[in-house]
Amino acid sequence: MTKCRGRRRLHLSNIYAFKGRKSSFQEDHSQIGGPGFSRVVYCNEPNSPASERRNYAGNYVRSTKYTAASFIPKSLFEQFRRVANFYFLVIGALSLTSISPYSPVSSLLPLAFVIAVSMVKEAIEDWGRKKQDIEVNNRKVKVHDGNGIFRQEEWRNLKVGDIVRVDKDEFFPADLLLLSSSYEDAICYVETMNLDGETNLKVKQGLEATSSVLHEDSDFKELKGVVRCEDPNADLYTFVGTLHSEEQRLPLSIQQLLLRDSKLRNTEYVYGAVVFTGHDTKVIQNSTDPPSKRSRIERKMDKIIYVMFGVVFLMSFIGSIVFGIETREDRVKSGGRTERWYLKPDDADIFFDPDRAFMASVYHFFTAVMLYSNFIPISLYVSIEIVKVLQSVFINNDILMYYEENDKPAHARTSNLNEELGMVDTILSDKTGTLTCNSMEFIKCSIAGTAYGRGITEVERSMAMRSNGSTLVGDELDVVVDRSGPKIKGFNFEDERVMKGNWVKQRDAVVLQKFFRLLAVCHTAIPETDEATGAVSYEAESPDEAAFVVAAREFGFEFFSRTQNGISFRELDLASGKTVERVYRLLNVLEFNSARKRMSVIVRDEDGKLLLLSKGADNVMFERLAKNGRHFEEETRKHVNEYADAGLRTLILAYREVDENEYIEFSKNFNEAKNSVTADRESLIDEITERMERDLILLGATAVEDKLQNGVPDCIDKLAQAGIKIWVLTGDKMETAINIGFACSLLRQEMKQIIINLETPHIKALEKAGEKDAIEQASRESVVRQMEEGKALLTASSSSSSQEAFALIIDGKSLTYALEDDFKKKFLDLATGCASVICCRSSPKQKALVTRLVKSGTGKTTLAIGDGANDVGMLQEADIGVGISGVEGMQAVMSSDIAIAQFRYLERLLLVHGHWCYSRISSMICYFFYKNITFGVTVFLYEAYTSFSAQPAYNDWFLSLFNVFFSSLPVIALGVFDQDVSARYCYKFPLLYQEGVNNLLFSWKRIIGWMFNGVFTALAIFFLCKESLKHQLYNPNGKTVGREILGGTMYTCLVWIVNLQMALAISYFTWVQHIVIWGSVALWYIFLMIYGAMAPSFSTDAYKVFIEALAPAPSYWLTTLFVMFFALIPYFVFKSVQMRFFPGYHQMIQWIRYEGHSNDPEFVEMVRQRSIRPTTVGFTARRAASVRRSGRFHEQLNKNFIAF
Amino acid sequence: MSSNTPSSSAAAAAAGSVDPSAARRNSKRPKYSKFTQQELPACKPILTPGWVISTFLIISVIFIPLGVISLFASQDVVEIVDRYDTACIPPSDRANKVAYIQGAANKSCNRTLTVPKEMKQPIYVYYQLENFYQNHRRYVKSRSDSQLRSVKDENQIDACKPEDDFGGQPIVPCGLIAWSLFNDTYTLSRKNQPLAVNKKGIAWKSDKEHKFGKNVFPKNFQKGNITGGATLNPKIPLSEQEDLIVWMRTAALPTFRKLYGKIETDLHKGDTIEVNLQNNYNTYSFSGKKKLVLSTTSWLGGKNDFLGIAYLTVGGICFVLALAFTVMYLVKPRRLGDPTYLSWNRIPGGR
């Protein structure tokens, strides 16, 4: 509690330069009360008549798709939006009429079943969301109940106007108007990770009018106030309102609004008034349904379905013509005679009336469409859905994609895209947080011109490999640097010269001390002391910042407390050699922003000296050094460049002593500027701080590593071997990006780098001049010229058939022009010709645009992977968005299709799960059409023998249960369990993945092949059964064949054949397959017996047909056996020949496994290597290249470096 | 359509692992099991030369004997087929057969059959009709099963149009099938001794017992202005009208045979059988053939060489295939894993 008290006195806003500014939205406030600004909130009196009248929505939030009431109609509607389901609904409706060839129940029941299964799936998914809703809505928050007492209340019961108290680390239950906080000036820190994915803390500040009077629970007893503000909207960054309180009208801005789903940090508590509740809150207004994506295969499947519709209509049409002609032949001829008199055509209704043969054939057309409806697999969609859900369950449960460290398994958020994972052609990857950990580690520093730090970065390691061209060095480095062991987060520094207090022995100990002090003082981090252990941890706006404070702590300068105007830290006293506490008075913080690229603090040390401590980017800092402050400039510059080369982020540290008078002057101007309300307030502040931050004395530089994630180079290598192209889209500087590119083997020495940027002197000169049009013109021309030159290089290289690889590196500004409509084709051409593409300095919008360009330009599947809010556009644009569920919040994950914890899991996700799902789904769909064509064609052939009168060959129930009962489970098992190649071999032969990229398993060739197989099987079944059961006696009792016997026999053959075909087609037999395949066949016989035993009024012509007629007749069994084998022989021959003489890649691997060649490294290598164009990216390629190079004479290193 | 229990339990496990209310220390680590990690022990068959050749050999080894046996069975059957539709019309009337058959003239006709081989009883007597679409949908549907089964349902005649009622009274049995009941009759004699044709037990037992009622009697049958086929004795219940029952079980194809009766004495080689038939049934309108068939049966049924020949052919083909594959595997052993023909290697640039 004492700590809390201490905090209450803090007036942090005074020392911040840019925060805590007064609202400057005066002009907007005139709109209050007008259209769009009509909301009125009666604070602290949510139940007053005035606010009751307003009747704003409650705080109950519903993210479910359905409610209990709307579930049935809405989900039914969803189901019938699918063309196939709608078709079956129409068929079902038609079956109620008299033109139906079968009984309505038999066609409606399977449809109902299929729809019911889909709806149950929907319901289960929605139930999951419902549970989440219940959890959220029942969270507790303290609400003022009118007498100065706050009591616990569920979130859902909050009303507009309620006063709530939110404690530290709690989420805000609604959009709140900040009234006061534990800090005296009503500021509070807010973490908005759930809103924008940024982990840094944001400062909000309440109005002085409210914060000055409201400190305790009891202060709220008498509070009255009316807020008039804008209507609910989705804009997270603006808020316009006024607070009417005691004759005052106070303007409110976004500074006073605490948004739902953000979290209170570093502040003991805040009081707030509820302004927007539930669905009116900005975060929920903002949530859009993610774009629904469909996989390529499903889109192709739709095409097949349309083709099948075409076939159905064509067959019906043919049938109708023949039927029409034959019906007309039945006309009453001269003499009152009729041909097929037994049909009584003279007394027929419209459907069979020879005199109205045309109408009869029209009716017949509809009947036939119903009859052939079995061509369209009714259960296809639902089966695929079930399969995909189960596949997702497997993905979610994959133990090899589970990340121990933050307890995150993989999570397939949509199951729609599983098979698309097996077809990825290009990966577009974010860098920070995706390829790298986004945990900054202080690794090196340069102080007083001396470089410290022995840590070796991933990049350095790869650079060492680069220059030595041998993997040995890398291995040696691995030995030297032991990266395991207990580690401090954010600190990976090793140098005995400065560690453990040894720095005092250094020659420049005084500079070292200043350097470390600066690290300990110049920041905006907030310390947290663990009461039990006394250990100090820090909350910082960015990971870099935290790394600095941690580093200072490790060097012995432990910052442990921040007060309103003081910074306390412990340090080693140089003179006494003891640890002493020092308190610096903090006068001003000149914060970091991207324009300034530096931050400074002005402090008064214990001796009363005024110091300006500053840190910033090299280009802004070096020019601010004083003449006498450039002592170590040369060395420092050298070190900074080295660090940058090693992929590190560098900052320059400098300071100066400030003259007392100068500070007074500054302080006066600064405060004036801060309190001004003019439009140029900010530039005024800029100018004043600018004047202050000059004549600095250089101390040194820091280097922070943005660490590569574990296994990233390996993973990239595997993906490259699989023939997947990887593009890196990053917001980072070009140098950093190139370094990371080297580190993860996307770039290597032999590659020709085509660099496109606008850093030419000419354009720089233009920029100085500031002529906008001229700059644009020149830039555009420059970019186009560079692209053309690059393209020329590519063509030259490909015509000379040398195996040169190219890398394209382009910066954000150039990208703007390259992505213009006129040039994007050119850009894509160039980029696809390069082995690696790196886009640096790219904005989120550009990331999305590049993704769209690749997706639509190449027509191939793209996968975007990223972790931050800035990747959301890219993730939603790409065919598949993969979110890294890492540290940068949930935004990317929420908009992704699949979330994984680490980049390296992409390897397993794509090469194993992707490949499996792809091969499963494509086999499954092919098989589906095969079995339905087989079924449908037998029906058609039989109908041809009934003079196209639409008489079905099979009993109604046989007809309708085929898809649902006798052939559904094996195909689902295929879709869920089949493995053409085991996971081990998927890794071993990454090239297998190309089967998906080239879509070999779902090519029209294969689809049509299967369809043809289906037609053949149908012909075999029908004609063989017909011949062997011809008009003659059927059994030893002299009985003959009726319709039910022919139908029963054909159907038995059908069930056997489609299931045996399945057994032949799959390459992975577990007990599951055995159960479902043989079970389906057994089920048919069981069904036949049960159905046959039912009363004849229900079973009609299937009554006792098995027991009495089929089973005792040897010819039934002989026919089944014969037809069964005959129909499968062609496929068997085809598969034998193909397997042996023309194996596909997966079949080759099957051979390798089977023949035990996998232990014969030479053979395996041959299959792996010879089978594709040489890989150009990844360390395998690098190794291969270095072998090649050592054979040739040594080329000059920079020769390949082509910069335009 | 739950794919089976294991997968649903996997789903349950997954649901458990994402349960947000679970305490933080409850690790989301997926449970390890061979099932969830897709590592179930499996048989991974691969079509090796050995498998292919032995499969074909086994098929041929099974099929050829089966073919021989079936062929023998079919050869054992003695079948006498006599087409009489044209022969039974006096030459003078052959120009207009339909007029003859619809006329009132005496339609009796004598045919003589010679027994080519010993025929062991029971010898089945069939009539065979061709080009008669008993499987036409209009025809198949035109019956009332419930009416046939029980008296109280005799008004259920909706499906029977246009043969549904006579003067407001329901026709029993109604519908086109019953109406067009075959009405040629055969009287057989050998050496002037009548040859008894047993007309009992020619229908399927299930039909007799469960589909045609014992107390349902023909009513208003063939009373319409046009008589279709045979008339029925209104004194005999439907379950005993076996000709009707046989006829009502509609044939699958436009050419079909229906059982007429059984001869329960042996016939000897060279016996001549006199058939006195009443040629009543009109197949002339639609140029349908009519045949009288006498046949014995084997264990496999009647005379049909198709199955035997088919088995032999396929057995033979499989044998040839086995040889062909043996030769192929020997002559063209292909170095496995030669990847030059992989499709993505053929595309220049691999893109």
Side-chain angles (χ1 to χ4, degrees), chain A residues 686-801:
Chain A
D686 269 344
E687 202 178 298
I688 293 161
T689 56
E690 178 97 30
R691 250 183 285 148
M692 199 64 185
E693 295 166 318
R694 64 189 164 78
D695 294 337
L696 302 170
I697 295 163
L698 180 66
L699 287 172
T702 58
V704 169
E705 184 187 10
D706 190 359
K707 254 184 70 190
L708 272 190
Q709 279 184 11
N710 263 343
V712 165
D714 271 309
C715 175
I716 287 184
D717 184 50
K718 272 275 154 58
L719 296 177
Q721 283 188 46
I724 304 172
K725 291 180 228 54
I726 301 169
W727 294 28
V728 176
L729 309 178
T730 172
D732 272 346
K733 284 194 293 248
M734 185 172 276
E735 296 75 32
T736 327
I738 290 177
N739 284 326
I740 292 293
F742 274 109
C744 50
S745 296
L746 280 173
L747 301 178
R748 67 195 149 82
Q749 208 185 333
E750 296 74 23
M751 274 187 178
K752 289 198 171 170
Q753 298 182 356
I754 301 171
I755 297 181
I756 299 179
N757 62 20
L758 291 172
E759 306 276 296
T760 58
H762 174 58
I763 289 169
K764 280 200 166 156
L766 280 174
E767 266 170 17
K768 279 248 167 65
E771 289 166 52
K772 247 184 154 183
D773 291 348
I775 298 172
E776 211 169 280
Q777 185 66 19
S779 304
R780 185 174 293 121
E781 276 165 16
S782 165
V783 168
V784 172
R785 188 170 40 78
Q786 292 180 46
M787 289 201 295
E788 273 162 4
E789 283 169 11
K791 186 73 199 157
L793 264 178
L794 276 185
T795 9
S797 150
S798 65
S799 60
S800 69
S801 79

Side-chain angles (χ1 to χ4, degrees), chain A residues 20-287:
Chain A
R21 60 186 64 141
K22 295 274 183 294
S23 143
S24 55
F25 290 106
Q26 291 298 347
E27 66 279 15
D28 292 331
H29 289 272
S30 57
Q31 293 169 279
I32 299 286
F37 295 87
S38 60
R39 200 176 181 88
V40 182
V41 179
Y42 299 91
C43 295
N44 212 12
E45 41 188 356
N47 297 320
S48 71
S51 48
E52 300 258 302
R53 205 166 46 241
R54 292 270 159 187
N55 198 19
Y56 291 123
N59 202 30
Y60 186 87
V61 170
R62 191 170 69 83
S63 63
T64 54
K65 247 161 123 181
Y66 313 103
T67 62
S70 76
F71 177 73
I72 300 281
K74 207 169 157 192
S75 63
L76 273 180
F77 175 72
E78 287 292 319
Q79 289 304 320
F80 289 117
R81 275 199 339 187
R82 284 187 168 152
V83 62
N85 283 347
F86 184 72
Y87 169 78
F88 282 106
L89 182 69
V90 172
I91 296 292
L94 282 177
S95 73
L96 296 169
T97 66
S98 54
I99 60 170
S100 167
Y102 40 66
S103 66
V105 186
S106 63
S107 84
L108 286 173
L109 207 69
L111 177 69
F113 178 73
V114 164
I115 299 289
V117 169
S118 300
M119 279 168 66
V120 166
K121 181 190 157 243
E122 285 283 299
I124 290 172
E125 281 182 356
D126 218 38
W127 177 245
R129 287 188 280 263
K130 174 86 182 167
K131 276 203 299 202
Q132 220 167 352
D133 283 355
I134 291 174
E135 192 266 327
V136 168
N137 286 318
N138 285 331
R139 285 188 195 160
K140 295 280 195 329
V141 66
K142 291 203 190 77
V143 181
H144 185 228
D145 75 348
N147 297 312
I149 298 160
F150 281 71
R151 67 190 147 69
Q152 296 277 347
E153 187 70 79
E154 278 99 19
W155 279 24
R156 65 193 144 104
N157 293 334
L158 276 190
K159 290 197 198 69
V160 172
D162 270 333
I163 304 292
V164 298
R165 175 191 158 122
V166 178
D167 291 332
K168 191 174 173 184
D169 291 336
E170 284 181 353
F171 286 102
F172 300 119
D175 288 354
L176 308 177
L177 177 68
L178 175 58
L179 296 173
S180 71
S181 79
S182 55
Y183 297 103
E184 189 130 295
D185 48 359
I187 70 161
C188 69
Y189 293 89
V190 171
E191 182 190 273
T192 54
M193 204 161 78
N194 289 338
L195 293 164
D196 54 14
E198 292 173 26
T199 43
N200 57 354
L201 304 181
K202 305 212 166 59
V203 178
K204 300 271 181 175
Q205 187 176 25
L207 295 178
E208 211 176 324
T210 57
S211 63
S212 57
V213 293
L214 305 166
H215 299 292
E216 312 245 339
D217 287 0
S218 53
D219 296 341
F220 289 87
K221 220 182 220 167
E222 301 302 326
L223 177 75
K224 287 274 171 324
V226 177
V227 175
R228 293 178 186 275
C229 65
E230 63 187 19
D231 291 337
N233 61 53
D235 193 342
L236 288 175
Y237 303 105
T238 64
F239 173 71
V240 177
T242 48
L243 175 64
H244 300 249
S245 152
E246 296 157 4
E247 312 300 314
Q248 274 182 297
R249 286 186 55 201
L250 303 161
L252 299 171
S253 74
I254 194 70
Q255 253 331 98
Q256 284 83 41
L257 197 67
L258 306 172
L259 301 179
R260 183 187 167 116
D261 278 357
S262 49
K263 200 180 197 178
L264 184 65
R265 299 293 299 272
N266 287 319
T267 313
E268 286 308 314
Y269 57 84
V270 293
Y271 292 105
V274 176
V275 179
F276 297 120
T277 48
H279 291 271
D280 293 342
T281 57
K282 292 200 181 255
V283 61
I284 291 172
Q285 292 269 317
N286 237 300
S287 66

Side-chain angles (χ1 to χ4, degrees), chain A residues 339 341-344 347 397 399 404 407 920 942 949 979 1033 1036 1038 1044 1068-1069 1108 1118 1171, chain B residues 28-29 37-38 40 43 126 133 137-138 162-163 205-206 210 249-250 252 282 285 297 311 335 345:
Chain A
E339 259 182 24
W341 57 268
Y342 52 90
L343 297 176
K344 269 210 169 176
D347 199 0
N397 274 295
I399 212 154
E404 196 82 61
D407 192 30
R920 287 165 183 175
Y942 181 76
S949 60
Q979 297 179 8
L1033 305 79
E1044 68 290 340
Y1068 187 77
F1069 261 98
E1108 187 184 43
L1118 275 179
S1171 46
Chain B
K28 289 177 192 156
R29 184 189 181 85
Q37 301 309 310
Q38 310 192 58
L40 285 177
C43 155
Y126 300 92
Y133 285 91
R137 190 160 65 95
R138 175 168 162 83
E163 256 330 290
K205 210 166 130 239
S206 65
H210 299 283
R249 195 171 260 224
T250 47
N282 176 11
S285 294
T297 59
Y311 263 103
R335 178 92 163 106
N345 284 336

Side-chain angles (χ1 to χ4, degrees), chain A residues 729-732 811-813 815-816 819 839-851 870-871 873-874:
Chain A
L729 309 178
T730 172
D732 272 346
D811 75 349
K813 254 193 249 166
L815 206 51
T816 321
L819 289 176
C839 303
C840 22
R841 288 262 176 247
S842 42
S843 65
K845 180 100 189 285
Q846 282 178 331
K847 286 182 177 188
L849 283 176
V850 171
T851 311
N870 58 344
D871 304 317
M874 174 167 90

Side-chain angles (χ1 to χ4, degrees), chain A residues 512-733:
Chain A
L512 283 164
Q513 186 187 30
K514 283 179 178 153
F515 183 91
F516 296 143
R517 259 186 208 157
L518 197 152
L519 286 183
V521 174
C522 177
H523 54 75
T524 54
I526 295 153
E528 302 246 320
T529 310
D530 187 333
E531 309 268 325
T533 62
V536 185
S537 58
Y538 304 101
E539 291 281 354
E541 288 197 3
S542 68
D544 313 50
E545 187 101 304
F548 288 133
V549 210
V550 168
R553 186 185 69 197
E554 296 306 312
F555 287 129
F557 291 73
E558 189 180 36
F559 160 61
F560 66 91
S561 153
R562 177 187 286 277
T563 56
Q564 182 193 334
N565 44 16
I567 283 184
S568 316
F569 61 99
R570 303 184 186 93
E571 67 160 39
L572 200 66
D573 189 66
L574 260 180
S576 67
K578 281 191 208 127
T579 307
V580 292
E581 280 190 18
R582 293 197 194 282
V583 182
Y584 278 22
R585 261 179 67 83
L586 184 60
L587 302 172
N588 293 95
V589 179
L590 315 178
E591 291 145 73
F592 183 90
N593 68 33
S594 53
R596 284 161 44 80
K597 290 186 181 171
R598 61 184 184 271
M599 87 157 276
S600 309
V601 294
I602 301 172
V603 293
R604 189 184 293 278
D605 73 3
E606 292 192 319
D607 309 333
K609 258 192 296 186
L610 278 170
L611 294 173
L612 174 93
L613 307 176
S614 189
K615 63 180 193 220
D618 49 1
N619 52 352
V620 296
M621 291 300 283
F622 278 123
E623 67 193 25
R624 271 161 225 283
L625 294 182
K627 280 216 175 62
N628 61 347
R630 295 173 183 264
H631 233 344
F632 334 104
E633 187 185 350
E634 203 164 313
E635 293 93 331
T636 312
R637 267 188 196 272
K638 197 176 123 246
H639 291 149
V640 166
N641 287 342
E642 276 171 20
Y643 295 158
D645 271 349
L648 303 175
R649 295 187 174 194
T650 58
L651 280 183
I652 303 293
L653 272 54
Y655 81 108
R656 83 175 168 108
E657 290 178 18
V658 183
D659 187 79
E660 200 69 42
N661 294 331
E662 190 187 352
Y663 179 71
I664 293 167
E665 173 77 17
F666 163 80
S667 186
K668 198 180 106 230
N669 292 341
F670 186 61
N671 283 334
E672 252 171 42
K674 260 179 81 174
N675 292 330
S676 72
V677 284
T678 52
D680 55 349
R681 173 176 166 275
E682 266 156 59
S683 61
L684 209 62
I685 294 178
D686 269 344
E687 202 178 298
I688 293 161
T689 56
E690 178 97 30
R691 250 183 285 148
M692 199 64 185
E693 295 166 318
R694 64 189 164 78
D695 294 337
L696 302 170
I697 295 163
L698 180 66
L699 287 172
T702 58
V704 169
E705 184 187 10
D706 190 359
K707 254 184 70 190
L708 272 190
Q709 279 184 11
N710 263 343
V712 165
D714 271 309
C715 175
I716 287 184
D717 184 50
K718 272 275 154 58
L719 296 177
Q721 283 188 46
I724 304 172
K725 291 180 228 54
I726 301 169
W727 294 28
V728 176
L729 309 178
T730 172
D732 272 346
K733 284 194 293 248

Side-chain angles (χ1 to χ4, degrees), chain A residues 950-1014:
Chain A
Q951 175 61 33
Y954 312 115
N955 180 291
D956 297 356
W957 287 99
F958 296 180
L959 212 52
S960 52
L961 293 182
F962 176 75
N963 275 319
V964 185
F965 270 16
F966 308 120
S967 60
S968 62
L969 286 185
V971 70
I972 288 177
L974 166 86
V976 178
F977 299 107
D978 196 37
Q979 297 179 8
D980 51 353
V981 171
S982 71
R984 195 160 73 90
Y985 286 91
C986 286
Y987 283 132
K988 207 159 183 175
F989 301 95
L991 199 59
L992 180 60
Y993 193 77
Q994 283 292 317
E995 284 195 342
V997 178
N998 289 293
N999 205 359
L1000 296 183
L1001 301 183
F1002 204 58
S1003 56
W1004 282 110
K1005 210 170 105 190
R1006 188 165 187 245
I1007 297 164
I1008 289 169
W1010 272 100
M1011 290 183 168
F1012 179 77
N1013 188 17

